[in-house]
Amino acid sequence: MTRPVLLYACPTVPAEPWIVEFRRAMPEVEIRVWPDIGEPAEITHAFVWHPPRGLFARLPALRMVFSLGAGVERLLDHAELPPEIPLIRMVDPSLGRDMTIFVVMQALRYHRRMPEIERNQRARIWSEVDAPMASDRRIGILGYGELGRLCADSLKGFGFDLSVWSRSPRDAPGLRAFAGVAELPAFLARSEILVCLLPLTPETAGILNAETFAQLPQGACLINVGRGGHLVEADFLAALASGRIAEATLDVFAEEPLPADHPFWSHERITVTPHIAALTQPRTAVSMIAVNIGRDAAGLPPLYQVDRSRGY
Ligand code: NAP
Ligand code: GLV
């Protein structure tokens, strides 16, 4: 292979920190930044986030595409990305750590009923709001992949009664593992705090819906850090109104930024965060890209390739 040429095509993300880290981690690779792509036929690899439509059709020598994010649903929309070109999702240790911190922070907040204690403070009410022992608190995580696993490992450390749900059966020491549609009801029935860490695919779109909420314990809390497309907003607001869901943290939304007049902003029992649960960090993320470009040169299969038939 001639000298690899990596195109940075993330129009919404500042390029500078990435370029610094790319040059440090792989000085042998030439880096170009969209829209100054030079001779398109020289570009061998692309690092993308919300890339311009039509980009891939212009790159005849493309060998591999890296996603800046873990979720790749918007890239799978690009019909011109040839199916034989490996698409690599983001797996970054800092992203995993930040997601763990965020999910643990929110789960502990709901476990200890902090929103209620804060409401009491505003009303000057002295009330000893108690919480069950951690071993009696049932937390469920939808998705037991890179991020779900890290969150589960940390929550396990507090002694929670933890369960996870995935597509295929998984070995999950120290917790209860459920898999597939058939086992979803049993998983939901024991999820007092439900965390969504699924990828957005045709199978998972709208999975946080009325039927799902009806199977949760009364007064459950929801933490959605997957994608906005997982949540059926009208069903969710109805579940909050009925008390089936007591509190929720939403980090991801069908429309981002969340429109200023959206009811979620002002709902007393919803915490809105602006899709910041976990961000990819250039300093730690570049090594996976360098390793994969090296594997490509050595004729080895890439790590973390998206299975396009599954959608993640
Ligand atoms: P991953 O490693 O691909 O794991 C995905 C998990 O979901 C796997 O356990 C998979 O099951 C399970 N799954 C997929 N489809 C399913 C289905 N139909 N039924 C049951 N389980 C299913 O993904 P990840 O790296 O953990 O990331 C997960 C998602 O987090 C991303 O796709 C993205 O949407 C979101 N995310 C959000 C932020 C944020 O800041 N809010 C940041 C990063 C990522 P198997 O184990 O059986 O394959
Ligand atoms: C962020 O949402 C990601 O998918 O990494």
Side-chain angles (χ1 to χ4, degrees), residues 89 144-147 165-168 170 199 225 251 278 312:
R89 70 206 170 85
Y144 192 53
E146 291 294 329
L147 301 176
W165 184 69
S166 57
R167 206 169 74 120
S168 38
R170 298 277 156 198
V225 280
D251 182 60
Y312 68 100

Side-chain angles (χ1 to χ4, degrees), residues 114-150:
M114 279 310 292
E116 206 174 321
I117 292 168
E118 286 161 5
R119 281 193 288 273
N120 284 347
Q121 178 180 354
R122 286 194 290 277
R124 296 170 184 259
I125 294 171
W126 181 278
S127 167
E128 291 180 8
V129 174
D130 63 353
M133 291 198 309
S135 55
D136 291 334
R137 173 67 80 196
R138 295 173 156 195
I139 301 181
I141 305 178
L142 291 161
Y144 192 53
E146 291 294 329
L147 301 176
R149 220 173 5 251
L150 290 168

Side-chain angles (χ1 to χ4, degrees), residues 110 221-223 236 240 245-250 269-272:
Y110 291 135
C221 296
L222 172 68
I223 301 168
F236 166 66
L240 267 177
I245 293 184
E247 312 275 352
T249 295
L250 306 179
R269 291 172 192 269
I270 302 177
T271 298
V272 168

Side-chain angles (χ1 to χ4, degrees), residues 165 167 181 198-207 230 309-312:
W165 184 69
R167 206 169 74 120
V181 175
L198 290 166
L200 186 62
T201 70
E203 282 79 43
T204 65
I207 192 167
H230 289 129
S309 65
R310 290 185 323 190
Y312 68 100

Side-chain angles (χ1 to χ4, degrees), residues 128-246:
E128 291 180 8
V129 174
D130 63 353
M133 291 198 309
S135 55
D136 291 334
R137 173 67 80 196
R138 295 173 156 195
I139 301 181
I141 305 178
L142 291 161
Y144 192 53
E146 291 294 329
L147 301 176
R149 220 173 5 251
L150 290 168
C151 294
D153 285 348
S154 279
L155 288 167
K156 230 171 19 183
F158 292 98
F160 290 116
D161 183 352
L162 204 62
S163 53
V164 294
W165 184 69
S166 57
R167 206 169 74 120
S168 38
R170 298 277 156 198
D171 266 349
L175 48 82
R176 288 163 214 250
F178 297 82
V181 175
E183 295 184 8
L184 184 58
F187 164 84
L188 293 171
R190 63 186 323 287
S191 295
E192 295 171 314
I193 299 175
L194 179 69
V195 180
C196 178
L197 259 171
L198 290 166
L200 186 62
T201 70
E203 282 79 43
T204 65
I207 192 167
L208 301 174
N209 60 31
E211 197 187 332
T212 297
F213 299 143
Q215 297 174 72
L216 293 172
Q218 183 71 13
C221 296
L222 172 68
I223 301 168
N224 187 18
V225 280
R227 283 289 185 261
H230 289 129
L231 185 73
V232 179
E233 294 190 357
D235 292 3
F236 166 66
L237 287 171
L240 267 177
S242 74
R244 170 66 58 180
I245 293 184

Side-chain angles (χ1 to χ4, degrees), residues 49 67-73 90 95 99 147 225-227 251-252 256 275-280:
W49 191 240
S67 166
L68 178 142
V72 294
E73 72 284 352
M90 178 50 65
L95 180 89
M99 182 58 85
L147 301 176
V225 280
R227 283 289 185 261
D251 182 60
V252 285
E256 294 181 2
H275 201 146
I276 44 72
L279 304 175
T280 305

